């Protein structure tokens, strides 16, 4: 049994910083991008439909694919993310799919999406190359190599889980960069290597001279932004907001720094002034009380707590109001179940 005391005011502040303000910022960035290109978001989704369709984790070869085109896609998009962007046509059955796929790419159309929802805007940014390039070019103008060098250690362990000389503990992150992709970003430099390091230690590498975001393959750039930078922070929140909140209580700087970085690239100065006065210093003395009134903390917690993944049995969760604090009581009952087979 593991009780967690949650201050309702702190949670409301976190929701403002992790959902309300990030959604406003990303919405503005996407709006400014659409204005620059003279397109609507629906136009972009229509043009990117086939690419996004085959970036889904569960996807099949469709009748639009050419030769071995299907094999070149990196499968990263969850079905839930796809369904936030597209829906089946009303006359979908009228499409005669040559590949005999019931849910062929040609049977979908873009939705009228809500760009105030992080679960919608983060996939738009990460998986549509032109939008991602637009953001990275503004974030790292003439300093992309510095950004990569500052985040070298995190990127190294997105390529390998072997402990290096800079590690304080055993790395636990997922490996998403391949060795070949790493070598397109970093090169081995003997000058940086330490005498006691193993053959392929992180300290033996430096960024390739003069590298720019435009030099990097779109799939590799997306992977980099999954691991480091402000978009990676928002992506982690979208994936597990409650877990990030627990970390935010002890260290709120990563989220605040991420929002500050994104604020600096928007052209709307009214929004910049509205958000930056809270985000840049994390000073909540003038916090907008309407956020506290609008947020149902009980509903938010019950919505965002995830079930334990280490066991097939469900977690049982209780929400208790304890002296002005929301006490979340998490516990799990494990039952030894025997499978009975009748043969």
């Amino acid at each position: 049994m593991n009780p967690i005391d949650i201050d309702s005011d702190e949670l409301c502040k976190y929701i403002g910083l992790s959902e309300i303000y990030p959604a406003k910022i990303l919405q503005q960035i996407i709006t400014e991008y659409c204005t620059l290109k003279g397109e609507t978001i629906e136009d972009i989704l229509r043009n990117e439909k086939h690419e996004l369709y085959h970036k889904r984790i569960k996807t099949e070869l469709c009748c639009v694919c050419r030769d071995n085109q299907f094999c070149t896609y990196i499968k990263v998009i969850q079905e839930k993310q796809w369904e936030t962007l597209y829906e089946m046509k009303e006359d979908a059955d009228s499409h005669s799919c040559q590949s005999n796929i019931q849910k062929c790419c040609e049977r979908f159309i873009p939705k009228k999406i809500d760009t105030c929802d992080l679960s919608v805007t983060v996939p738009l940014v990460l998986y549509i190359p032109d939008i991602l390039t637009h953001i990275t070019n503004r974030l790292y103008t003439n300093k992309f190599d510095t950004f990569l060098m500052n985040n070298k250690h995190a990127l190294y362990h997105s390529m390998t889980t072997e402990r290096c000389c800079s590690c304080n503990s055993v790395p636990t992150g997922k490996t998403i960069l391949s060795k070949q992709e790493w070598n397109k970003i970093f090169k081995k430099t003997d000058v940086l290597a330490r005498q006691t390091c193993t053959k392929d230690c992180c300290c033996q590498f430096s960024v390739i001279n003069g590298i720019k975001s435009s030099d990097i393959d779109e799939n590799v750039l997306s992977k980099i932004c999954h691991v480091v930078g402000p978009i990676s922070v928002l992506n982690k929140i979208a994936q597990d907001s409650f877990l990030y909140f627990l970390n935010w209580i002890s260290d709120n700087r990563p989220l605040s720094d991420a929002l500050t970085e994104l604020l600096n690239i928007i052209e709307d100065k009214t929004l910049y002034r509205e958000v930056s006065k809270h985000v840049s210093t994390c000073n909540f003395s003038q916090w907008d009380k309407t956020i506290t009134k609008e947020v149902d903390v009980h509903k938010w917690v019950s919505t965002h707590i995830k079930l334990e993944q280490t066991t097939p049995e469900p977690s049982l969760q209780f929400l208790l109001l304890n002296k002005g604090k929301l006490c979340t009581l998490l516990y799990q009952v494990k039952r030894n179940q025997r499978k009975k087979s009748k043969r």
Side-chain angles (χ1 to χ4, degrees), residues 245-280:
F245 167 67
L246 297 181
N247 294 327
W248 179 82
I249 293 174
S250 59
D251 183 12
N252 56 35
R253 290 313 318 170
L255 176 55
S256 300
D257 291 344
L259 296 185
T260 300
E261 281 189 78
L262 291 172
L263 272 173
N264 288 330
I265 69 172
I266 64 174
E267 296 177 1
D268 187 330
K269 298 307 176 186
T270 302
L271 179 63
Y272 176 87
R273 287 191 294 269
E274 175 192 339
V275 180
S276 62
K277 64 181 179 181
H278 299 304
V279 170
S280 59

Side-chain angles (χ1 to χ4, degrees), residues 65-287:
C65 292
R66 302 183 307 272
D67 301 325
N68 294 324
Q69 181 184 15
F70 173 74
C71 301
T72 64
Y73 293 108
I74 306 296
K75 311 299 188 295
V76 289
I77 298 178
Q78 300 286 343
E79 199 65 18
K80 184 178 179 181
Q81 293 175 317
W82 166 262
E83 290 172 355
T84 62
L85 304 177
Y86 296 92
E87 61 186 354
M88 293 279 283
K89 296 179 183 177
E90 291 184 2
D91 59 343
D93 292 337
S94 64
H95 171 66
S96 179
C97 180
Q98 297 175 8
S99 302
N100 296 318
I101 301 175
Q102 186 177 5
K103 294 184 177 181
C104 178
C105 174
E106 289 300 284
R107 292 178 174 170
F108 288 91
I109 57 173
K111 281 184 176 179
K112 287 284 185 181
I113 63 173
D114 178 11
T115 50
C116 282
D117 185 349
L118 275 185
S119 65
V120 173
T121 51
V122 170
L124 283 177
V125 170
L126 281 174
Y127 305 129
I128 296 182
D130 287 346
I131 296 180
L132 184 60
T133 301
H134 170 78
I135 291 177
T136 53
N137 285 344
R138 287 174 175 251
L139 281 172
Y140 313 118
T141 306
N142 300 324
K143 55 180 180 178
F144 188 65
D145 52 349
T146 303
F147 162 74
L148 292 175
M149 196 63 188
N150 290 341
N151 291 283
K152 180 179 69 169
H153 187 244
L155 290 169
Y156 181 78
H157 289 298
S158 71
M159 183 268 296
T160 178
T161 56
E162 293 184 12
R163 187 169 179 172
C164 73
C165 65
S166 300
C167 292
N168 295 321
S169 59
V170 178
T172 57
K174 294 181 180 179
T175 56
I176 63 172
L177 275 177
S178 68
K179 182 70 173 176
Q180 292 75 18
E181 291 168 337
W182 166 266
N183 288 334
K184 290 179 181 179
I185 308 169
F186 296 92
K187 63 180 180 180
K188 216 164 190 182
T189 306
D190 294 334
V191 176
L192 298 175
R194 298 178 184 176
Q195 294 288 335
T196 58
C197 284
T198 56
K199 184 178 179 181
D200 289 318
C201 183
C202 175
C203 69
Q204 298 176 357
F205 292 88
S206 64
V207 179
I208 293 175
N209 292 334
I211 193 168
K212 300 176 182 178
S213 58
S214 57
D215 299 331
I216 297 178
D217 174 81
E218 62 185 53
N219 290 319
V220 178
L221 185 60
S222 178
K223 289 180 179 182
I224 291 172
C225 293
H226 261 89
V227 179
V228 292
I231 302 300
S232 73
V233 175
L234 301 187
N235 188 41
K236 290 171 186 174
I237 293 172
Q239 290 176 351
D240 195 336
S241 191
F242 184 76
L243 178 60
Y244 200 93
F245 167 67
L246 297 181
N247 294 327
W248 179 82
I249 293 174
S250 59
D251 183 12
N252 56 35
R253 290 313 318 170
L255 176 55
S256 300
D257 291 344
L259 296 185
T260 300
E261 281 189 78
L262 291 172
L263 272 173
N264 288 330
I265 69 172
I266 64 174
E267 296 177 1
D268 187 330
K269 298 307 176 186
T270 302
L271 179 63
Y272 176 87
R273 287 191 294 269
E274 175 192 339
V275 180
S276 62
K277 64 181 179 181
H278 299 304
V279 170
S280 59
T281 61
C282 268
N283 179 9
F284 301 110
S285 59
Q286 302 297 322
W287 187 259

Side-chain angles (χ1 to χ4, degrees), residues 285-298:
S285 59
Q286 302 297 322
W287 187 259
D288 187 352
K289 296 299 181 183
T290 58
I291 292 179
T292 306
K293 294 177 182 177
E294 292 173 0
V295 172
D296 184 336
V297 291
H298 294 77

